[in-house]
């Protein structure tokens, strides 16, 4: 098989931007203290901030051009938080929500619009079951790893290398209504491959076959149904692993009964992570976890090793006296449990990465008329309305200072 570059056959492989037209730029939190790996930390930080007054509250808040304690903004859709100026806030901490703060790194966020520089309310309106978010990674020439990741949690959307990506919800409306796809795409695919194609089938194929390019992800469409069926099957497996078994109802496990476990307890405040390839062990100072397959240690997104990123987000030093410095006194047991699960997920995905890359390369070579056929069928280009968020008027949203927002 001849090699296929990242931007091979640009005339035949349509851009994901054309096929999933509505996309949103990454969120900008603006202040790191509103995100934490555990919810208890966020409640403690909130209590510290609301107990402060005047200049001290302003300093702890970390004002930006977009948000200060005097900012007036509406509540986030679906969230019950205050809308008075934060300078006067004295109420209880809002319930933290789970977010994907990076690839394979779910943390907790204070869902208060007064604290978030750019929250992308249009995403909050469509979040929740059965929504899935396809997160297109920023292009990094020559970088290994998947070009597209999927999460059920609201994603921040930033790539590990700091390059901007795009967030593409699978559905345009709450409740899994109106797929975020070019109108007519699913019917076109059904006729092309002689089988019913649903929105999740499309997402599965995309996870398996999408290829990075400087213009964004490209999604080749194979000529025949055999390649399509094989790609969808592989993509479903990859989706289920990325979603921690949410599709199958079975938690991901390594084959052969292998299971990573703690051989030596993780110390109270580990500072370094390393890998012992001979023993297949992850070393956290004096702590030791094994077996850790090499595929898990080497798994990268955007050129960044995921395990190292995950560890750094939990151990990076913070400025003394800041809200960021408030955290667990010792390494929590739940972090170890999350790490064990993450190792399993990355090992399973890494083991199938050669298979995924080979399928994507074959699909790119086999895609003789993808974009041309879509244009001939009137699927491309998508109408301008498909690039805009749908109107969601299922509930009223509280505006600044307790007024109701007009949508």
């Amino acid at each position: 098989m001849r090699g296929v570059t990242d931007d091979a056959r640009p005339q035949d492989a349509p851009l994901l931007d054309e096929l999933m037209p509505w996309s949103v730029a990454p969120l900008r939190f603006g202040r790191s203290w509103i995100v934490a790996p555990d919810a208890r930390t966020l409640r403690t930080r909130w209590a510290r901030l609301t107990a402060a007054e005047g200049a001290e509250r302003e300093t702890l808040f970390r004002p930006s051009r977009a948000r200060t304690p005097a900012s007036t903004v509406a509540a986030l859709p679906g969230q019950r938080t205050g809308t008075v100026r934060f300078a006067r806030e004295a109420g209880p901490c809002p319930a933290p929500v789970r977010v994907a703060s990076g690839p394979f790194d779910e943390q907790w966020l204070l869902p208060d619009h007064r604290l978030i520089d750019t929250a992308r309310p249009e995403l909050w309106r469509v979040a929740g079951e059965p929504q899935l978010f396809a997160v297109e990674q920023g292009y990094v020439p020559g970088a290994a790893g998947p070009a597209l990741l999927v999460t059920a949690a609201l994603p921040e959307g930033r790539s590990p290398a700091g390059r901007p990506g795009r967030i593409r919800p699978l559905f345009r409306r709450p409740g899994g209504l109106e797929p975020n796809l070019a109108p007519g795409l699913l019917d076109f695919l059904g006729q092309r491959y002689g089988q019913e194609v649903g929105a999740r089938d499309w997402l599965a194929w995309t996870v398996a076959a999408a290829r990075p390019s400087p213009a964004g992800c490209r999604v080749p469409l194979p000529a025949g149904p055999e390649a399509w069926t094989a790609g969808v099957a592989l993509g479903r497996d990859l989706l289920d692993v990325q979603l921690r078994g949410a599709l199958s109802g079975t938690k991901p496990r390594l084959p052969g009964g292998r299971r990573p476990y703690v051989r030596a307890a993780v110390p109270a405040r580990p500072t370094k992570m390393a890998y012992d390839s001979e023993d297949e062990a992850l070393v956290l100072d004096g702590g030791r976890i094994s077996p850790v397959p090499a595929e898990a240690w080497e798994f990268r997104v955007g050129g960044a090793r995921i395990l190292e990123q995950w560890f750094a987000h939990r151990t990076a030093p913070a400025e003394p006296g800041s809200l960021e410095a408030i955290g667990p006194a010792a390494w929590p047991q739940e972090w170890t449990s999350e790490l064990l699960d993450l190792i399993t997920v990355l090992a399973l995905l890494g083991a199938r990465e050669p298979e995924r890359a080979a399928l994507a390369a074959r699909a790119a070579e086999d895609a003789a008329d993808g974009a041309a056929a879509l244009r001939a069928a009137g699927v491309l280009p998508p109408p301008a309305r498909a690039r805009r968020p749908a109107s969601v008027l299922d509930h009223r949203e509280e505006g600044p200072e307790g007024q109701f927002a007009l949508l």
Side-chain angles (χ1 to χ4, degrees), residues 90-145:
C93 179
V97 298
R98 201 72 160 157
V99 295
S101 67
F104 304 100
D105 189 359
E106 290 193 5
Q107 298 193 34
W108 295 91
L109 169 71
L110 289 173
D112 193 317
H113 208 178
R114 298 168 297 176
L115 307 178
I116 305 172
D117 278 8
T118 307
R120 314 295 181 195
E122 61 270 35
L123 290 180
W124 293 78
R125 291 189 184 104
V126 300
E129 289 285 345
Q131 184 67 273
L132 297 174
F133 296 98
V135 184
E136 186 174 352
Q137 302 301 300
Y139 178 68
V140 180

Side-chain angles (χ1 to χ4, degrees), residues 280-314:
E280 284 193 313
L282 196 64
V283 182
L284 290 78
D285 291 351
R288 202 170 183 87
I289 297 172
S290 68
V292 177
E295 292 87 351
W297 173 249
E298 292 297 340
F299 196 93
R300 301 168 190 262
V301 175
R305 183 177 279 129
I306 291 299
L307 282 175
E308 288 183 328
Q309 291 266 313
W310 185 92
F311 180 75
H313 290 162
R314 286 153 180 77

Side-chain angles (χ1 to χ4, degrees), residues 230-256:
V232 170
L234 172 61
R236 284 175 181 158
D237 290 346
L238 299 178
L239 268 177
D240 193 51
V241 174
Q242 288 193 29
L243 297 172
R244 315 296 173 98
L247 301 183
S248 66
T250 303
K251 187 176 180 180
R253 296 186 183 280
L254 296 179

